Amino acid sequence: EAPTSSVTDKVENGSQLDEKKVTVVFVLGGPGSGKGTQCANIVEHFGFTHLSAGDLLRAEIKSGSENGTMIQNMIKEGKIVPSEVTVKLLQRAMQENENDKFLIDGFPRNEENRAAFENVTKIEPAFVLFFNCSEEEMEKRLLNRNQGRDDDNIETIRKRFKVFIESSLPVIEYYQAKGKVHEIDAGRPREEVFETIKNIFATFAKESSETGKYVDNCVNVMTEVHID
Ligand SMILES: Nc1ncnc2c1ncn2[C@@H]1O[C@H](COP(=O)(O)OP(=O)(O)OP(=O)(O)O)[C@@H](O)[C@H]1O
Ligand SMILES: Nc1ccn([C@H]2C[C@H](O)[C@@H](COP(=O)(O)O)O2)c(=O)n1
């Protein structure tokens, strides 16, 4: 299946059609499994743009938008914000960015997210990274994160774990059935986790450039890493 997809949508005034080909990788895993940390490394080494659904929602709260209070309340409760809101934010972020390679972190979080994104954008991910980590380790990391997040308290953390198991794991299983998931043992030290990720992206870049589906700027990195 083609790793590039077309983003087609009318802009605000409805008069102009904006279309571009993009490569999308979904980055999924439990809260505190290290998705954001590794996305920063992938951006640096492989030239992707990192779009964190959680960050986009938190920015929406700060902007004072009409949905701000609803989003804030849902995040405090560890619940998943309606897909319509999150998909719009992601779509806008992709359209406004000149890059054509996006890491979408923390999305799709449930079946509704997945279906809404696919219906609206017609984008299929090239592949999915699944950060697998024990709850014990994730809890420890979140309680030490110190970023002043409203939802990094033990009560909300437990709710987020429950939502992850009940709503997010089925999405990962959906992509597993399509052969799109790279499962990563995310309980290891940061550097070890990134070594695994480097190999995944280097292999993807090599295969895609061979088939002409992926124009990459990762050639220098590819020579540094081991490809199975
Ligand atoms: N491999 C690791 N070992 C130990 N600590 C880590 C590791 N990776 C990330 N951390 C730390 O754990 C905390 C959570 O990491 P991060 O914010 O990347 O997780 P996340 O999966 O993006 O979480 P969330 O989904 O809640 O946003 C951070 O303080 C980060 O520095
Ligand atoms: N697709 C998403 C992503 C995030 N949220 C909300 C609910 C999460 O608990 C919160 C924080 O996300 P994180 O930064 O930990 O990825 O944001 C959502 O509703 N839908």
Side-chain angles (χ1 to χ4, degrees), residues 30-37 141-142 145 149 160 188-190:
S33 56
K35 303 180 295 296
T37 302
R141 290 180 188 178
L142 292 173
R145 180 151 62 176
R149 275 177 53 165
R160 289 157 72 197
R188 294 170 296 155
R190 291 172 181 78

Side-chain angles (χ1 to χ4, degrees), residues 30 46 53 64 89 98 106 126 132 172 194:
F46 294 97
L89 293 173
E98 283 185 3
N132 198 358
I172 294 165
F194 189 55

Side-chain angles (χ1 to χ4, degrees), residues 29-32 35 52-55 57-58 71 74-82 86 90 105-110 113 142 145 149 151-152 156 160 163:
K35 303 180 295 296
S52 155
D55 284 352
L57 290 167
R58 283 184 285 274
I71 298 171
M74 297 209 72
I75 288 183
K76 247 191 210 152
E77 283 302 310
K79 291 184 180 158
I80 298 172
V81 173
T86 318
L90 287 168
D105 165 8
F107 184 98
R109 240 1 188 251
N110 60 11
N113 271 186
L142 292 173
R145 180 151 62 176
R149 275 177 53 165
D151 55 349
D152 279 352
T156 313
R160 289 157 72 197
V163 168

